[in-house]
Amino acid sequence: NLHVVDSCFPTLLGRDWIERLFGPEWFGRLVNAATVSTSECHEKFAEEMKKSPIFMPGVGVVKGYEARLNLKEGARPKFCKARVTAFSIRGKTEDTLKQMIAEGLLVPVDNSEWASPIVPVAKPDKTIRVCGDYKSTLN
């Protein structure tokens, strides 16, 4: 379905997502029938967006959905052992992994048929971003 709305807020999301974020009465709260300047409307929309739990600080959790990987027919599990981390960032990488486990972003396992190596990347603020290298396993 195509919905055209004459209003002064930017179209960022479809109606189904806007309704999930702001509830069923979103339109009346975001769009006023009276003529409003574009800057006022943008400010109002930005304030409503800031109240949404999606834009809260930190990492959120998706509830009510189950992730599924669609593998090619006949795909077999592949295990790639961990790469050696540069000594200069090894401690920071371990700290980052421990923090991610504490926050519930990672779950330690004793064994697995599938494993991809990580690539620690130093960010400008000297912290570490942990990335997965899936080119040899999933891609």
Side-chain angles (χ1 to χ4, degrees), residues 21-90:
L21 293 173
F22 303 114
E25 302 299 322
W26 67 270
F27 190 80
R29 290 189 312 166
L30 297 177
V31 180
N32 189 347
T35 304
V36 180
S37 74
T38 303
S39 63
E40 287 177 28
C41 195
H42 284 168
E43 288 174 22
K44 184 177 179 181
F45 182 74
E47 289 303 314
E48 286 291 324
M49 292 294 284
K50 288 177 187 175
K51 294 176 188 174
S52 171
I54 288 181
F55 298 102
M56 299 302 267
V59 178
V61 176
V62 176
K63 297 179 182 177
Y65 293 93
E66 184 176 308
R68 180 177 54 223
L69 294 176
N70 296 319
L71 302 174
K72 293 179 183 176
E73 192 172 319
R76 293 186 314 234
K78 187 164 183 183
F79 183 94
C80 294
K81 62 182 184 176
R83 294 187 183 134
V84 176
T85 304
F87 184 75
S88 61
I89 61 170
R90 187 174 297 161

Side-chain angles (χ1 to χ4, degrees), residues 1-3 5 7 26 32 39 42 44 64 66 72 75 85 100 109 112 121-122 132:
N1 292 340
L2 173 65
H3 299 279
V5 177
S7 183
W26 67 270
N32 189 347
S39 63
H42 284 168
K44 184 177 179 181
E66 184 176 308
K72 293 179 183 176
T85 304
M100 292 173 79
V109 295
S112 176
V121 179

